[in-house]
Amino acid sequence: MMVLVVLLLVLLPQAVSKFPGAECSISDPLPILYKYYQLGDLNIAGITSQNFVFLSSINFEKPPCPELFDDTMVLTQLYQHILALAFAVKEVNENPQILPNVTLGFQIYNSQFSASSTYQASMELLSTQERFIPNYKCGIHNNPVVVIGGPNYNVFLHMTAILSNYKMPQLAYGSAPVLENEKEGAFITQMFPNGIHQYMGILQLLLHFRWTWIGVVYLDDDNGDRFVQKVLPIFSQRGICFDFIERLPKQGSSSANNLIVEKGINMIKKIMTHTANVVIVHGEIQTMLVLRTLFQYLKFSNEPKKAKLLIMTAQMDFTSFPLQRLWDVDFIHGALSFAVHSKEVVGFQEFIQIRNPISEKEDKFMRVFWEHTFDCLLPVSMVDMMDKEFCTGEEKLESLPGSIFEMSMTAHSYNIYNAVYAVVHALQTMHPSNSKQRTIAGGQGKKLLSQVPSQTISLEIAKHINISCHLIYL
């Protein structure tokens, strides 16, 4: 029982966000806690996840209220995704040759890795800013021309269920769902490589080294189920046999943590008792923090410890909570991972280095990132961490270990950066300065771009994306 208590403390965040009591109305939804606005003539929306925001148990005895917010857990590495979008927009706005007389803006929402928050963020894009009235837009200045979503399968799946009905162009910068509905697919472009190429690569790797007796661990979602049902039979036909196929536990509400931990511990016990030494891990970007927690359990237990060779899919990335910064990562030593191509973008590191949480008032993601990353308090903070020191705002991101925050652009961030430019090139193609309407200038040009049909934008975006060479081996 003591082990469960220790592990639960590990799973809980560094801080519990407190929200003052307020009158709660049944007509007001729970707010999305973290947003970042910079409005322009044309706006790119982003729906992404940096934080898990857990809710207390809901008994439906009173209207939704911020008091339901219980725990906040920050995946500090994912803040770079927000910065990649902001940096790309900044680059475009500083280059007068790209979209003359037109400024780009952005609206970024934290989907909190939950279906409800993703649906709500999608609906907010269809409402007037700061007023949650879907289908009511007062003015067109903050209408997004496209939505970039990720980093995982579920975020994109939930947002496209809403936005495709409105023919909103969408780009997936992480793993994207396989959509059965052709109408939805008409407005979706994937920046992430087609999964079938990756799975065939894994199969060739297994056959090359004659690893025919393996285990499989997969995430408990539709994408994981499809991998087990559609891909593993192909492996079997080529002579691959499975010692075990285990499902990783889902995240849930704070009250469900005990059950999640118990399921995870039982799973890790099974893996250690089986004979297969090669294990395929089919996960998403948050899967690494779950694996780190479960393998950390072995350090507090008498369970047998066996070295396993992990083969991890490209959707995964090295993510962790700040509390995990001192943990060993020896369980991934020798692991093999597929990855999406990325390269260093000139000026990106400098852009990161000059960020300051004191002056960046509009970036609501930055405060929670900074406080959890540097274990300090920013002025006027509502986080219950009064035993901590105050942040100066001069803390250096480059001083952080890579397990907390990377200065080099990651593959997911590079996908976002390229997604912005795919949108920009599509808009550039339709800009009056590149057509017969060269005499139209300034505001009239902006108006024409804002009235371009969504499907036309989707088609133009697809033309500017080349996915064929994204997948590489590491």
Side-chain angles (χ1 to χ4, degrees), residues 126 159-168 170 181 183-184 187:
L126 307 171
M159 79 179 215
T160 198
I162 300 290
L163 299 177
S164 290
N165 291 325
Y166 290 83
K167 300 181 179 180
M168 179 74 72
Q170 302 151 65
N181 189 325
K183 290 182 179 179
E184 290 183 348
F187 301 99

Side-chain angles (χ1 to χ4, degrees), residues 38-55:
Q38 179 184 303
L39 298 183
D41 299 320
L42 299 172
N43 295 306
I44 296 175
I47 298 180
T48 185
S49 290
Q50 175 184 291
N51 314 320
F52 286 99
V53 180
F54 291 107
L55 300 179

Side-chain angles (χ1 to χ4, degrees), residues 66-78:
E67 292 174 359
L68 288 172
F69 291 128
D70 192 355
D71 303 331
T72 300
M73 293 193 284
V74 182
L75 276 66
T76 53
Q77 292 91 342
L78 303 195

Side-chain angles (χ1 to χ4, degrees), residues 28-29 37 78 108 119 149 196 204 207 240 283 311 313 337 350 371 385 411 415 432 442 452 454:
D28 297 325
Y37 289 130
L78 303 195
I108 309 176
Y119 286 133
I196 193 63
Q204 293 302 315
L207 294 175
I240 305 298
I311 300 177
T313 54
S337 176
E350 290 77 6
E371 290 183 332
M385 294 171 56
N415 275 350
V452 172
S454 299

Side-chain angles (χ1 to χ4, degrees), residues 229-280:
Q229 295 167 12
K230 303 290 187 181
V231 178
L232 293 189
I234 298 174
F235 283 31
S236 294
Q237 292 168 11
R238 298 293 301 274
I240 305 298
C241 299
F242 304 102
D243 186 11
F244 59 86
I245 301 176
E246 291 289 337
R247 194 182 331 212
L248 281 168
K250 275 185 176 179
Q251 293 83 13
S253 65
S254 301
S255 59
N257 271 347
N258 203 354
L259 181 60
I260 294 169
V261 172
E262 188 174 348
K263 287 182 178 179
I265 288 174
N266 290 335
M267 186 200 74
I268 205 74
K269 286 180 179 179
K270 287 182 182 180
I271 292 176
M272 287 298 132
T273 56
H274 283 278
T275 58
N277 293 322
V278 176
V279 180
I280 294 176

